[in-house]
C-alpha cells in the first residue's frame, strides 16, 4: 500500500501543474519546434505555447526544417495563433521574396509591445530598406539589424526606451544616423559594425546616456556631442582614401581635443592606427585640456613606433590619463620615414615633460621588435611609471633566452621609476 | 608607501551591508526544520527581503511551502551567491553543477521554491535545466519522462500533427540523456 503511494508520488505529472508563469518561462528556453510540439502532450498543454513571449525564427529553426515546408506560411501560422505580448522576436534570416511579408509581420508586431527585435537579411550583396513599420515600435529596448538599409521617415518620433542598438552591415545616411540616435535618449550601447553610410563624411553621436560605443568601418570624422557617461569606446576604422592625408585644406582643428575632450567618463579606449591618425589630425597637444581621470585601460594598435604622429598621439593619451592601470600596444612594425625625428622627439620629451603615471600596473607590447624607436618609447614609460609591476613583451619573432636576457638587462638598466618591474617574454606562437 | 597600499583610500565600507553580513536569520521549513542564514544571503530572495523589511519576521521566518530538504539546497545556493569574493565565473560554474546533478523530482521542488521565494537567478537556472530535458525530444519521450497522460484521441492527435507538420522535424531519437 505504502509502496504504491510512494510510486504514484514519484510518477505524478508535476510539470503540468506548475504555475503558469513557470511553464511560460520554461517554454521560453525552447526552440520554436519544441514549443509548438508541446501542444500535443495533452489537452492542458494544447494552448500553452501560444502565450510564450519569445518567438525565434532563427538559424536553429531553419536548420530543423526540411525543404518541403514554406517558411513564410509557417511564420504567418505562428503569428496568427499567438496570443499576448511578443517581448522578443527574431527573424535570423530572410530573403528577397520575404519583403512584402516582412512588411505585414512588422505591421502585425508593431502593436505587440516588442522589446527586443533581431532582423537579419541573409545576403550582404544587395540591401533593401527595412519596412517603415519598424519605426513605430514604441516599446523597443534592444534592436539588432543586419544587412539592411534604414531610412527613418521624417515622422519618426524616436525609440524612447531603446537601450542597445546593433547595426551590422547596415546602410544609412550619416545625417540619418545622427538624427536616429538623437531620438533614442535612453541609448546606452551602440555598435556600428561595418555599416556603410555614404562615406561617413561626418558622424555625430548625440546620446546623453551612451555607455559603450563600438565602431568598425570607414570613418573620416566623428564627434560626440553629448556623451557624459561614455565609459567604453572601441574604434577600428579605415580612411576613405587609400593614402590618408594628414592635412586637409581648412581643417586646422585639433581632432584630439575635439573628439576626446568631451569624454570625461571614459574608462577604456580601444582603437587602431587609423583612428589614432584621425585623432592626430590638426596636430597633437602635449596633453588634453581636461584630464581623462577615469581612464583605466588603453588598448592601441599602431603602424610602428617610428611614426611620429601616432607616437605623439599615444603619449598624449597616456599623459592625459593619470589613473591609467593597463596599457597595451600592438605594433605592426612598419618602417617609418620619419623614424629619426620620432626618436628625437622621444628623447626630447624624456627631458622636458613629466608624465604622471602613478597607477600604471601592466604594460603589454605586442609585435615587440626592440627597434631603436621602440626602445626609446619604453625608456620613456619606465622613467615615469612609479608602480609598474609587469612589462609583457610579445615578440614579433623568436628570441633566444640569451637575447631575452640581454634585452631584460638593458631595459632594467634604464632610469626607472618603479623598483618592482618584472619583464615577461611571450613567444610569437602564443600571441 | 606600503602602508598606503594596504589601506586603499576611498574604499568606503557600507555599514548597512556590513550589518547584514553579521546578522543571522532563522528560516523554518514546512516540516519544522530550522536553518540559520546570514541576512545578506537570505535577502537574495525577494520574498524574504520583503518579509525582513516589513519586519514581520520576528526572529524566525516560516516558509510553509518549502520542505527541509529543498530549503537546505536553496540555502546552499544563496550562501554561494552572497559569498564575498566569489567571481561571476565561479558562480556560473557553481550554478551549472548545482542544477546538473538534480533529479527531475528535485528540479520541480527547487523550481517551486525559487518561484515562491522569488530568487531570480536560481529560477532561471532550474527552468533552463528543465527546458534542456525537453529540447529536441519526441512527444512520446516528453510524456514518459514527465509522466504526462494524453487525453487526446488518436484522431485528434493525428489532426494536430498534420496542422504543425513542420514542428515534427529535427527531433532526436528517444534515448535518455
Amino acid at each position: 500500500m505504502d509502496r504504491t503511494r510512494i510510486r504514484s508520488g514519484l510518477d505524478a505529472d508535476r510539470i503540468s501543474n506548475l504555475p503558469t508563469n513557470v511553464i511560460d518561462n520554461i517554454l521560453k528556453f525552447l526552440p520554436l519546434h519544441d514549443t509548438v510540439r508541446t501542444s500535443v502532450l495533452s489537452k492542458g498543454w494544447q494552448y500553452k505555447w501560444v502565450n510564450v513571449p519569445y518567438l525565434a525564427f532563427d538559424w536553429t529553426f531553419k536548420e530543423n526544417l526540411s525543404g518541403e515546408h514554406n517558411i513564410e506560411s509557417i511564420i504567418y501560422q505562428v503569428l496568427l495563433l499567438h496570443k499576448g505580448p511578443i517581448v522578443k522576436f527574431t527573424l535570423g534570416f530572410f530573403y528577397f521574396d520575404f519583403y512584402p511579408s516582412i512588411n505585414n509581420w512588422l505591421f502585425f508586431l508593431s502593436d505587440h509591445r516588442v522589446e527586443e527585435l533581431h532582423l537579419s537579411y541573409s545576403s550582404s550583396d544587395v540591401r533593401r530598406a527595412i519596412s517603415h513599420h519598424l519605426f513605430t515600435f514604441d516599446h523597443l529596448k534592444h534592436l539588432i539589424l543586419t544587412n539592411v538599409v534604414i531610412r527613418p521617415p521624417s515622422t519618426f518620433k524616436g525609440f524612447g526606451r531603446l537601450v542597445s542598438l546593433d547595426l551590422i552591415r547596415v546602410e544609412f545616411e550619416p545625417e540619418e544616423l545622427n538624427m536616429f540616435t538623437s531620438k533614442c535618449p535612453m541609448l546606452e550601447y551602440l555598435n556600428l559594425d561595418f555599416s556603410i553610410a555614404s562615406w561617413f563624411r561626418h558622424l555625430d553621436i548625440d546620446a546623453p546616456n551612451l555607455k559603450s560605443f563600438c565602431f568598425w568601418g570607414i570613418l573620416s570624422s566623428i564627434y560626440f556631442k553629448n556623451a557624459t557617461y561614455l565609459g567604453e569606446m572601441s574604434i577600428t576604422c579605415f580612411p576613405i582614401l587609400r593614402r590618408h592625408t594628414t592635412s586637409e585644406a581648412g581643417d586646422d582643428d585639433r581632432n584630439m581635443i575635439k573628439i576626446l575632450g568631451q569624454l570625461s567618463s571614459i574608462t577604456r579606449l580601444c582603437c587602431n592606427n587609423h583612428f589614432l591618425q584621425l585623432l592626430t589630425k590638426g596636430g597633437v597637444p602635449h596633453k588634453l585640456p581636461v584630464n581623462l581621470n577615469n581612464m583605466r585601460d588603453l588598448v592601441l594598435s599602431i603602424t610602428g613606433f617610428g611614426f611620429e604622429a601616432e607616437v605623439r598621439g599615444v603619449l598624449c593619451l597616456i599623459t592625459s590619463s593619470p589613473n591609467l592601470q593597463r596599457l597595451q600596444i600592438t605594433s605592426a612594425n612598419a618602417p617609418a620615414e620619419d623614424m629619426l625625428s620620432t626618436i628625437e622627439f622621444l628623447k626630447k620629451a624624456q627631458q622636458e615633460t613629466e608624465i604622471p603615471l602613478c597607477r600604471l600596473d601592466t604594460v603589454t607590447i605586442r609585435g615587440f621588435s626592440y627597434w631603436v624607436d621602440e626602445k626609446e618609447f619604453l625608456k620613456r614609460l619606465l622613467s615615469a611609471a612609479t608602480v609598474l609591476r609587469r612589462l609583457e613583451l610579445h615578440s614579433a619573432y623568436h628570441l633566444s633566452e640569451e637575447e631575452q636576457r640581454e634585452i631584460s638587462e638593458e631595459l632594467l638598466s634604464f632610469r626607472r621609476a618603479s623598483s618592482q618591474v618584472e619583464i615577461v617574454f611571450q613567444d610569437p606562437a602564443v600571441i | 608607501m606600503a602602508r598606503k597600499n594596504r589601506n586603499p583610500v576611498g574604499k568606503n565600507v557600507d555599514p548597512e551591508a556590513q550589518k547584514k553580513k553579521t546578522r543571522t536569520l532563522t528560516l523554518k521549513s514546512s516540516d519544522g526544520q530550522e536553518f540559520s542564514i546570514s541576512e545578506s544571503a537570505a535577502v537574495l530572495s525577494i520574498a524574504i527581503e520583503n518579509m525582513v523589511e516589513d519586519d514581520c519576521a520576528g526572529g524566525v521566518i516560516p516558509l510553509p511551502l518549502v520542505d527541509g530538504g529543498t530549503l537546505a539546497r536553496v540555502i546552499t545556493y544563496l550562501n554561494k551567491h552572497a559569498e564575498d569574493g566569489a567571481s561571476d565565473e565561479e558562480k556560473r560554474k557553481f550554478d551549472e553543477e548545482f542544477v546538473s546533478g538534480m533529479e527531475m523530482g528535485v528540479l520541480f521542488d527547487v523550481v517551486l521554491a525559487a518561484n515562491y521565494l522569488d530568487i531570480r537567478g536560481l529560477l532561471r537556472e532550474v527552468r533552463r535545466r528543465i527546458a534542456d530535458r525537453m529540447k529536441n525530444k519526441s512527444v512520446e519521450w516528453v510524456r514518459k519522462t514527465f509522466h504526462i497522460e494524453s487525453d487526446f484521441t488518436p484522431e485528434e492527435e493525428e489532426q494536430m500533427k498534420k496542422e504543425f507538420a513542420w514542428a515534427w522535424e529535427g527531433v532526436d531519437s528517444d534515448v535518455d540523456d
Side-chain angles (χ1 to χ4, degrees):
Chain A
M1 176 69 191
D2 264 342
R3 261 167 92 187
T4 30
R5 205 190 282 153
I6 291 166
R7 283 259 313 265
S8 71
L10 274 176
D11 290 353
D13 172 5
R14 296 190 62 187
I15 194 165
S16 302
N17 298 314
L18 288 176
T20 315
N21 71 317
V22 177
I23 292 192
D24 283 354
N25 279 303
I26 290 173
L27 294 181
K28 229 161 62 175
F29 287 111
L30 287 175
L32 194 61
H33 279 73
D34 296 274
T35 324
V36 170
R37 270 202 316 277
T38 61
S39 61
V40 186
L41 288 172
S42 71
K43 285 186 178 158
W45 281 86
Q46 193 171 359
Y47 299 110
K48 285 195 199 297
W49 75 270
V50 301
N51 293 308
V52 178
Y54 289 8
L55 287 181
F57 300 98
D58 51 11
W59 284 100
T60 317
F61 166 78
K62 189 168 179 280
E63 275 165 11
N64 278 336
L65 284 182
S66 65
E68 63 191 76
H69 296 288
N70 181 317
I71 294 174
E72 270 180 285
S73 37
I74 294 173
I75 298 178
Y76 276 113
Q77 182 190 30
V78 170
L79 288 179
L80 283 175
L81 292 169
H82 193 275
K83 286 209 172 76
I86 298 173
V87 176
K88 184 174 169 182
F89 184 84
T90 304
L91 187 53
F93 60 90
F94 57 88
Y95 308 103
F96 248 153
D97 39 343
F98 278 25
Y99 262 97
S101 294
I102 288 178
N103 205 34
N104 295 339
W105 299 334
L106 287 180
F107 178 64
F108 172 85
L109 288 167
S110 61
D111 62 350
H112 276 71
R113 307 162 76 91
V114 177
E115 292 178 12
E116 194 168 341
L117 186 67
H118 301 196
L119 293 176
S120 175
Y121 178 51
S122 293
S123 158
S124 54
D125 299 341
V126 194
R127 297 185 184 85
R128 284 182 63 175
I130 198 77
S131 158
H132 62 277
H133 294 306
L134 172 73
F135 300 98
T136 62
F137 280 53
D138 293 338
H139 290 77
L140 221 48
K141 286 185 185 162
H142 308 280
L143 176 62
I144 302 180
L145 296 173
T146 309
N147 287 333
V148 291
V149 177
I150 52 170
R151 295 260 173 280
S154 55
T155 51
F156 177 49
K157 291 201 186 74
F159 294 133
R161 302 176 192 194
L162 196 71
V163 176
S164 76
L165 176 63
D166 279 86
L167 300 179
I168 302 150
R169 296 184 294 279
V170 166
E171 219 175 292
F172 46 79
E173 294 291 330
E175 305 79 49
E176 282 175 346
L177 181 81
N178 304 341
M179 185 267 273
F180 188 97
T181 53
S182 69
K183 286 182 175 176
C184 302
M186 304 308 284
L187 197 64
E188 291 181 10
Y189 170 88
L190 177 60
N191 176 24
L192 303 174
D193 191 354
F194 197 47
S195 289
I196 300 165
S198 314
W199 299 119
F200 273 123
R201 283 188 306 279
H202 183 74
L203 202 54
D204 256 325
I205 307 289
D206 179 6
N209 281 303
L210 197 65
K211 295 192 172 116
S212 168
F213 176 71
C214 293
F215 181 93
W216 200 100
I218 295 168
L219 185 71
S220 69
S221 76
I222 186 167
Y223 178 56
F224 296 91
K225 206 188 252 162
N226 209 344
T228 9
Y229 297 109
L230 187 59
E232 295 197 1
M233 178 154 93
S234 170
I235 298 189
T236 304
C237 70
F238 308 98
I240 294 170
L241 302 169
R242 192 165 285 181
R243 271 181 45 217
H244 190 74
T245 46
T246 42
S247 57
E248 270 174 22
D251 189 354
D252 55 3
D253 284 342
R254 287 180 157 196
N255 262 352
M256 203 96 193
I257 297 171
K258 236 171 65 185
I259 298 172
L260 298 176
Q262 315 288 324
L263 306 181
S264 53
S265 297
I266 195 158
T267 58
R268 179 183 164 89
L269 172 68
C270 185
C271 69
N272 72 336
N273 52 343
H274 292 299
F275 187 66
L276 266 177
Q277 288 162 9
L278 200 143
L279 279 178
T280 57
K281 243 165 108 179
V284 186
H286 160 59
K287 72 190 275 292
L288 295 171
V290 180
N291 272 344
L292 305 173
N293 281 324
N294 294 301
M295 186 81 88
R296 302 281 181 271
D297 288 276
L298 277 174
V299 182
L300 312 169
S301 288
I302 58 170
T303 320
F305 281 95
F307 290 77
E308 187 170 345
E310 288 179 35
V311 169
R312 278 177 185 265
V314 171
L315 277 184
C316 169
L317 282 172
I318 295 173
T319 312
S320 310
S321 309
N323 294 314
L324 188 67
Q325 291 174 3
R326 288 163 295 269
L327 170 68
Q328 181 182 312
I329 300 178
T330 303
S331 167
N333 276 318
E337 280 172 16
D338 53 352
M339 185 177 106
L340 289 177
S341 78
T342 310
I343 294 171
E344 222 26 62
F345 159 73
L346 280 167
K347 279 188 171 155
K348 242 165 116 189
Q350 184 95 348
Q351 287 141 18
E352 280 174 5
T353 49
E354 266 311 305
I355 320 181
L357 280 180
C358 47
R359 296 272 164 86
L360 188 62
D361 175 83
T362 312
V363 173
T364 308
I365 308 284
R366 287 168 185 268
F368 173 73
S369 65
Y370 212 47
W371 287 357
V372 193
D373 43 14
E374 194 176 282
K375 198 190 284 189
E376 282 304 321
F377 183 85
L378 287 174
K379 242 187 201 174
R380 184 76 197 93
L381 274 188
L382 285 167
S383 69
T386 51
V387 294
L388 186 66
R389 201 177 44 82
R390 188 177 167 92
L391 175 59
E392 216 175 276
L393 304 169
H394 298 245
S395 50
Y397 47 85
H398 178 72
L399 291 172
S400 69
E401 273 181 31
E402 182 62 35
E403 285 169 314
Q404 291 183 1
R405 197 168 45 243
E406 273 173 24
I407 293 172
S408 278
E409 275 169 14
E410 187 178 17
L411 282 173
L412 292 173
S413 73
F414 296 148
R415 192 165 68 87
R416 184 155 46 90
S418 165
S419 55
Q420 44 170 357
V421 187
E422 183 196 4
I423 298 179
V424 183
F425 284 91
Q426 305 277 7
D427 246 16
V430 292
I431 286 181
Chain B
M1 190 69 200
R3 237 158 97 202
K4 209 170 164 189
N5 275 348
R6 242 174 279 156
N7 299 309
V9 197
K11 212 177 182 183
N12 289 325
V13 183
D14 176 9
E16 192 50 37
Q18 208 54 33
K19 246 191 240 165
K20 278 187 183 173
K21 255 178 223 153
T22 46
R23 225 161 27 204
T24 56
L25 301 174
T26 303
L27 307 181
K28 192 171 173 184
S29 68
S30 60
D31 46 356
Q33 296 184 52
E34 292 190 356
F35 298 86
S36 282
I37 180 172
S38 74
E39 189 179 325
S40 62
V43 297
L44 294 177
S45 147
I46 309 292
I48 296 178
E49 189 185 25
N50 290 340
M51 286 188 234
V52 173
E53 266 172 20
D54 297 347
D55 210 23
C56 59
V60 179
I61 300 179
L63 302 172
L65 295 181
V66 189
D67 67 77
T70 308
L71 189 54
R73 282 197 173 85
V74 170
I75 286 173
T76 311
Y77 174 91
L78 292 176
N79 282 336
K80 181 70 194 180
H81 280 258
E83 197 179 292
D84 270 338
S87 67
D88 288 351
E89 177 59 22
E90 233 175 285
K91 287 179 193 167
R92 201 190 52 76
K93 238 176 131 187
F94 168 86
D95 286 355
E96 218 178 282
E97 282 165 19
F98 187 65
V99 294
S100 68
M102 285 183 191
E103 284 182 19
M104 201 67 85
V106 178
L107 279 175
F108 286 120
D109 290 334
V110 175
V111 86
L112 285 170
N115 191 45
Y116 164 60
L117 295 172
D118 204 349
I119 308 168
R120 308 269 160 92
L122 180 59
L123 195 54
R124 194 174 49 237
E125 282 311 316
V126 187
R127 287 190 307 225
R128 198 198 307 270
R129 178 75 190 146
I130 296 175
D132 281 346
R133 301 295 301 267
M134 302 172 81
K135 209 175 265 180
N136 292 336
K137 298 290 185 235
S138 72
V139 170
E140 293 70 30
W141 193 95
V142 175
R143 277 192 193 132
K144 201 180 104 200
T145 310
F146 292 95
H147 310 291
I148 302 169
E149 220 165 287
S150 170
D151 42 7
F152 285 120
T153 63
E155 293 75 31
E156 283 172 329
E157 198 173 319
E158 208 42 50
Q159 180 55 37
M160 289 172 70
K161 266 191 184 180
K162 239 187 235 165
E163 198 181 340
F164 298 106
W166 56 271
W168 261 261
E169 290 175 0
V171 178
D172 294 347
S173 53
D174 291 346
V175 267
D176 291 352
D177 50 8

